Amino acid sequence: MKKYFSAFFIVAILASVLFISCKKSSKSDYVEGVAETGDWLIVRLQAEPDTFNPATTQSTDGDEIGDMLVYESLIGLDNTTLLDVPSIADTLPDISADHLQYTYHLNKNAKFSDGVGVTGNDFICFIKTVKNPLIINAAPKRSYLQNIQKVELVNNDPYTIRFTLNEPYFLASQICGSTLALPKHVWDPNSLTDKYSWDELASNDKMMKNPSAKEYADWYSDPAKSRDPKFLIGSGKYIFDSWETAQRITFHRNPNYWNANGKNGQAYVDKIIYKIITDENAALTALKGGEIDFMPNVPKYLYFNAFDSVKNKDIAHLPYDYPNMSYIGWNLHNPLFQDVHVRLALAKLVNTDEIIHTLLKGMARPITGGTFFHRPEYDTTIQPITFDPDGAAKLLEDAGWKAGSDGILMKNGQKFQFSILTVSGSEISDKIMLIPVEAMRKAGISVELQHLEWSVFLQNVRSHKFDAVFSGWGTQAVEGDEYQTWHSSQTVGGSNSIFYNNPEVDSLIVADRGEFDFAKRVENHKRIQRLIFNDQPYAFLYSVKLAGAWNNRIHNVKFYPPRPCYDLTEWFVPKAAQKYGKNESASK
């Protein structure tokens, strides 16, 4: 579902789509371009996802891996054209003239990996699961489905499903089409979702009083199910096998994939194993030593000196575009950050150019908002804030902050001191943050870095337990909606973790959601971007390129605009170059 959530549409980037095909193997009579099955693909994973549960995962990796390998939606996205294409639905939806009803006809051959056929009831189960307010971790996805009034079978036909909206929404076709097939027979064996109505789902009070809603939420939210292969099944090309905490996550090719004969339906490698390696140097050593086959993101400070053309001749590598943004977010409930002049001063103490050129080796560009810079509605007239310690000092002085006896700025007896929340174990994140931290300390601000393990970091951000946070968003290559990130209603359950609240921004975001004229949406979005930039709730930093590296025995490696910007199901290894067999140890 994330391909449309907080997502972005790229036009210019299509011209720079990267295509890389490894050289012909000298070990066999392999014919270039002919895909072969077999072997394993071992991929480095930097941090452990929370789960692959499609309704409740809140990590980018959890969404991307699950969507690529296991789960399928009504409508898919063509990675090259960025156009919607049928997936489990036979065709694109029939849309009513008032934009309130979207009808999909399902492919009757679609089956889950356990052999049970996919029907409209599985999509209804998914929607009722996400919209259940008692399933706490589904809240981020729930905000995107608020316009869906009901979903029902048409004339009780299990292969025809209709979405009815409570108001027109410009992304309705994509949001409805992104609904995943959640196997009802697995997740709702007692049909508890049938025992709460669409009318009840529209009211938290009614849901709280429905015992079936509570029973289902408790059943669905059971942590034991979040990593259990018996529950995390889909209709996709791969089947989830096992999860060894902090070690590896394993998938095997679905031998009975229902759409294997369809366009791009064939998968090739027998196993895909995600090996969790938190340390960057250790991951690079593992790649060079053949312990892993693909490292999606080699850090910039390692990349340019990482590979020797002679010693590492088996390694291919290339930078690729990955829609993203990085920022420092200020908790606007903290009195320190409630003055916009103070937030502007802090932004002037972040030397983004130094970060880009010294630490990111020029493989990034400064940004002025959360919109991907290739989008047509990205406002290029807004200039990034430049490093200006003198200007920052003047703003802080005008805001009433004066140096105390120890040199720390003070106002009304309060010292200007706070912490920046970061993810532990990331050497580059620490180096990046030390640049603004040192500048702030020189300006008389006491700043400390607070390091937390990823899952704890996420929990603290969701519960607003931070002064400031260094983080980022993985965006996408299709048009998206700013509602979840910036609307003031999304401070609870959404992604507005910093308590941003601007009534004009709220109004424009809501207006945008009902606007079907793309040109008008472009202008609205530019206004939203400028208003947010002027408020400086984030210190907007940069958008980076990623640098991928892989063993060149892997063929058909391609990079695309939509994240994760590659599709492992397309990759293959010629027979003569295959190194893993059925009896190989998964520890390799």
Side-chain angles (χ1 to χ4, degrees):
M1 297 181 76
K2 280 292 181 72
K3 64 177 177 286
Y4 294 108
F5 295 170
S6 297
F8 301 92
F9 171 68
I10 297 176
V11 176
I13 199 172
L14 286 176
S16 62
V17 172
L18 306 176
F19 175 85
I20 309 95
S21 183
C22 300
K23 295 181 179 179
K24 179 178 177 180
S25 169
S26 60
K27 300 179 182 179
S28 72
D29 295 326
Y30 167 69
V31 178
E32 188 69 35
V34 178
E36 297 180 301
T37 59
D39 210 17
W40 302 353
L41 180 61
I42 303 178
V43 181
R44 185 268 178 116
L45 196 60
Q46 182 177 6
E48 196 160 35
D50 51 355
T51 177
F52 293 121
N53 185 319
T56 59
T57 181
Q58 298 184 41
S59 69
T60 298
D61 286 329
D63 263 319
E64 291 180 353
I65 295 171
D67 287 354
M68 178 168 52
L69 302 182
V70 178
Y71 304 110
E72 293 182 310
S73 53
L74 287 163
I75 299 297
L77 182 71
D78 186 290
N79 282 327
T80 302
T81 66
L82 302 185
L83 297 176
D84 289 342
V85 292
S87 182
I88 291 182
D90 264 340
T91 61
L92 298 182
D94 301 324
I95 305 173
S96 64
D98 59 5
H99 295 280
L100 291 178
Q101 291 191 327
Y102 295 75
T103 303
Y104 299 83
H105 304 277
L106 309 189
N107 190 314
K108 296 179 181 179
N109 295 319
K111 287 181 170 57
F112 291 107
S113 59
D114 61 2
V116 176
V118 178
T119 73
N121 289 314
D122 300 303
F123 295 97
I124 292 172
C125 182
F126 180 80
I127 296 293
K128 281 196 164 186
T129 297
V130 175
K131 287 179 76 72
N132 186 334
L134 300 173
I135 301 177
I136 305 302
N137 286 343
K141 289 184 170 69
R142 188 151 52 241
S143 66
Y144 291 100
L145 305 182
Q146 65 177 5
N147 284 346
I148 296 177
Q149 186 179 90
K150 62 181 177 180
V151 188
E152 56 193 347
L153 302 180
V154 178
N155 297 324
N156 291 319
D157 177 2
Y159 301 104
T160 305
I161 183 172
R162 178 175 294 148
F163 292 72
T164 299
L165 308 186
N166 51 33
E167 60 183 359
Y169 178 41
F170 81 105
L171 284 182
S173 179
Q174 291 85 354
I175 297 300
C176 296
S178 293
T179 300
L180 299 176
L182 184 73
K184 185 179 180 182
H185 66 284
V186 172
W187 281 105
D188 189 16
N190 296 319
S191 296
L192 294 172
T193 55
D194 294 341
K195 297 177 181 178
Y196 53 87
S197 68
W198 297 104
D199 176 64
E200 288 175 302
L201 277 168
S203 167
N204 284 354
D205 289 341
K206 291 180 180 179
M207 288 295 287
M208 296 294 181
K209 296 175 183 177
N210 188 316
S212 295
K214 177 66 165 62
E215 183 180 352
Y216 180 67
D218 290 343
W219 158 268
Y220 194 90
S221 303
D222 176 8
K225 297 182 178 69
S226 67
R227 297 185 177 185
D228 190 337
K230 291 186 298 184
F231 290 91
L232 303 181
I233 70 171
S235 60
K237 299 177 186 179
Y238 282 83
I239 299 171
F240 172 43
D241 275 337
S242 62
W243 190 320
E244 299 173 58
T245 300
Q247 296 296 319
R248 63 185 56 80
I249 305 167
T250 303
F251 302 82
H252 74 269
R253 184 157 51 94
N254 183 352
N256 301 309
Y257 177 53
W258 68 275
N259 198 29
N261 295 323
K263 183 180 179 182
N264 301 321
Q266 181 66 55
Y268 300 101
V269 296
D270 290 337
K271 285 187 179 181
I272 295 177
I273 300 171
Y274 288 88
K275 195 167 185 177
I276 300 163
I277 308 175
T278 58
D279 182 78
E280 303 290 2
N281 288 287
L284 192 58
T285 299
L287 177 69
K288 293 178 178 180
E291 296 176 35
I292 61 174
D293 299 307
F294 177 45
M295 193 169 172
N297 182 22
V298 181
K300 313 299 181 295
Y301 67 96
L302 293 175
Y303 178 71
F304 286 96
N305 299 307
F307 305 105
D308 184 288
S309 60
V310 176
K311 294 180 181 179
N312 309 124
K313 61 183 178 180
D314 292 333
I315 304 298
H317 53 89
L318 196 72
Y320 62 95
D321 282 302
Y322 181 100
N324 68 90
M325 61 163 289
S326 294
Y327 64 88
I328 302 173
W330 316 111
N331 188 331
L332 301 183
H333 273 194
N334 187 321
L336 289 175
F337 308 122
Q338 290 177 356
D339 185 336
V340 65
H341 299 95
V342 169
R343 300 196 297 271
L344 179 59
L346 292 170
K348 287 177 176 288
L349 293 171
V350 182
N351 195 336
T352 304
D353 284 341
E354 181 183 355
I355 293 171
I356 290 174
H357 293 295
T358 62
L359 297 178
L360 302 179
K361 307 302 181 183
M363 291 175 61
R365 60 177 289 168
I367 56 172
T368 58
T371 306
F372 189 62
F373 58 82
H374 280 298
R375 278 188 63 88
E377 64 267 39
Y378 182 82
D379 192 339
T380 57
T381 68
I382 303 174
Q383 295 302 308
I385 293 173
T386 56
F387 184 59
D388 181 9
D390 292 337
K394 179 67 166 58
L395 285 167
L396 291 169
E397 182 179 2
D398 291 346
W401 291 94
K402 309 293 183 184
S405 58
D406 57 0
I408 304 299
L409 295 180
M410 294 191 68
K411 180 180 178 180
N412 299 328
Q414 179 185 16
K415 287 189 174 184
F416 203 145
Q417 55 187 14
F418 64 94
S419 63
I420 300 176
L421 186 63
T422 67
V423 179
S424 61
S426 175
E427 181 180 348
I428 186 62
S429 292
D430 284 351
K431 288 183 176 180
I432 288 171
M433 278 298 95
L434 285 176
I435 290 176
V437 164
E438 182 60 26
M440 290 176 189
R441 287 173 179 166
K442 288 181 179 179
I445 302 171
S446 175
V447 188
E448 300 295 334
L449 295 180
Q450 180 185 3
H451 301 89
L452 292 179
E453 183 271 329
W454 174 243
S455 63
V456 183
F457 172 90
L458 280 178
Q459 183 57 44
N460 276 37
V461 171
R462 285 195 294 264
S463 57
H464 315 282
K465 294 179 180 178
F466 61 88
D467 297 328
V469 57
F470 173 48
S471 188
W473 293 113
T475 60
Q476 262 294 358
V478 289
E479 188 175 5
D481 185 354
E482 298 278 23
Y483 188 86
Q484 185 188 14
T485 306
W486 296 114
H487 196 276
S488 62
S489 68
Q490 297 304 296
T491 57
V492 177
S495 298
N496 187 355
S497 58
I498 59 167
F499 294 107
Y500 180 66
N501 185 349
N502 182 322
E504 187 176 358
V505 170
D506 282 356
S507 178
L508 287 169
I509 288 174
V510 171
D512 229 18
R513 289 162 69 89
E515 179 57 67
F516 288 86
D517 185 322
F518 179 68
K520 291 181 179 178
R521 291 202 304 272
V522 167
E523 292 309 309
N524 274 351
H525 197 98
K526 287 182 177 180
R527 289 176 62 193
I528 292 170
Q529 181 184 347
R530 184 168 290 279
L531 286 166
I532 293 173
F533 181 80
N534 289 341
D535 286 339
Q536 284 294 302
Y538 288 173
F540 294 100
L541 303 180
Y542 49 79
S543 178
V544 299
K545 279 182 175 287
L546 300 190
W550 62 97
N551 190 298
N552 63 19
R553 69 191 179 88
I554 310 295
H555 284 237
N556 204 37
V557 175
K558 304 175 186 178
F559 292 93
Y560 301 106
R563 63 180 177 90
C565 303
Y566 52 83
D567 183 353
L568 300 180
T569 72
E570 298 178 339
W571 299 10
F572 67 91
V573 182
K575 292 290 185 183
Q578 293 180 11
K579 59 186 290 189
Y580 299 109
K582 294 181 180 179
N583 298 319
E584 289 282 352
S585 169
S587 64
K588 291 186 178 182

